[in-house]
Amino acid sequence: MNIQQISAITSPTDYLTMNGRTLAYRTMGEGRPIILCHRFRGVMDLWDPAFLDALVGQGFQVIVFDYTGLGLSDGTPSYNPIDMAADPRDLIAGLGLSDVVLGGWSLGGMAAQAALMLYPERISHLALLGTTPPGDLVKLAEQLFYDIAGKESYSIEDITALFFEPKSEKSRAAAVRSQARIEARKQDLSPPVPLEFARPVLAHGPRSPAFPAEPVLQMLKTTQVPILHIAGDHDIIFPVENWYALNEVLPSVTLVTFPRSGHGPQHEHPQLAADIIASFVRNQ
């Protein structure tokens, strides 16, 4: 199959063995590489295909993967963002990539920030989605996230509450469309993240800081690497207000906030989010 004809729904799974474990990944498109780090309980199949395909259409080589020990990857899993940053590092090295844009959604955004601290020379830009900055917060998560996120499976109502804005008719409709696109992939699926691994992360409930990593915060205050953060204005887990509280402190961070949107802005606005990322990378 011609690489330009591979979509997120049809992209085959490849494997990279490095540093004692094997990472499962998929790649689609050609051009500037962008590696995407997933959310809590996320595996490769749970990216909205419309968002991935829109990035391909903008001239990116899009790479998604399952974290060590989760999905189709083996090894010992960890939800410590510092540990998680080893996965994109090894993908960059193992695939011989350069000039890499590193993206991250939610927990994956923490891993992407940690990666920029650990190996800045390998990353040209960060493209963050619905995540949190390190350090003390001005607004905490809502308990609703913790009540839903540990369920065995998510109904469309749960998905809407977690990643969209239930108060908006347009956002509710976008949730249904996004989930239909995600469910269109029927083969070569990643196993879900085991609940016994994920649930302990939720035990603490809302807290500040959500990302207790002072060295990462100090890096953000000094780095010149361009950083984009796209968010919804009602994110129940990582309120965007915590980024705006750092105005004039983070010299390279650009904030884009979608109105009447939630924790998954790139799933509600897949084409627009991809367009913004592409324009940011071209012009920053």
Side-chain angles (χ1 to χ4, degrees), residues 60-93:
F60 287 104
Q61 176 191 4
V62 180
I63 300 165
V64 297
F65 66 97
D66 286 338
Y67 292 116
T68 293
L70 301 176
L72 293 169
S73 297
D74 66 16
T76 302
S78 172
Y79 267 165
N80 180 319
I82 303 297
D83 296 336
M84 296 163 71
D87 289 345
R89 178 200 66 200
D90 287 354
L91 285 168
I92 291 170

Side-chain angles (χ1 to χ4, degrees), residues 30-50:
E30 294 179 321
R32 183 81 166 268
I34 181 169
I35 298 177
L36 299 176
C37 303
H38 222 317
R39 62 168 172 85
F40 175 72
R41 293 185 70 181
V43 292
M44 290 185 286
D45 309 313
L46 298 180
W47 288 107
D48 190 321

Side-chain angles (χ1 to χ4, degrees), residues 23-24 32 48 63 71 83-84 109 155 164 219 232 238 261 284:
L23 291 175
R32 183 81 166 268
D48 190 321
I63 300 165
D83 296 336
M84 296 163 71
S155 67
F164 296 82
M219 176 276 297
F238 294 137
S261 297
Q284 293 288 327

Side-chain angles (χ1 to χ4, degrees), residues 35 37 67 81 84-85 88 102-119 123 126-128 211 216 219:
I35 298 177
C37 303
Y67 292 116
M84 296 163 71
L102 185 60
W105 178 20
S106 191
L107 177 62
M110 297 187 210
Q113 293 173 68
L116 184 60
M117 179 188 72
L118 294 170
Y119 43 93
I123 299 168
L126 284 191
L128 305 177
F211 184 16
V216 177
M219 176 276 297

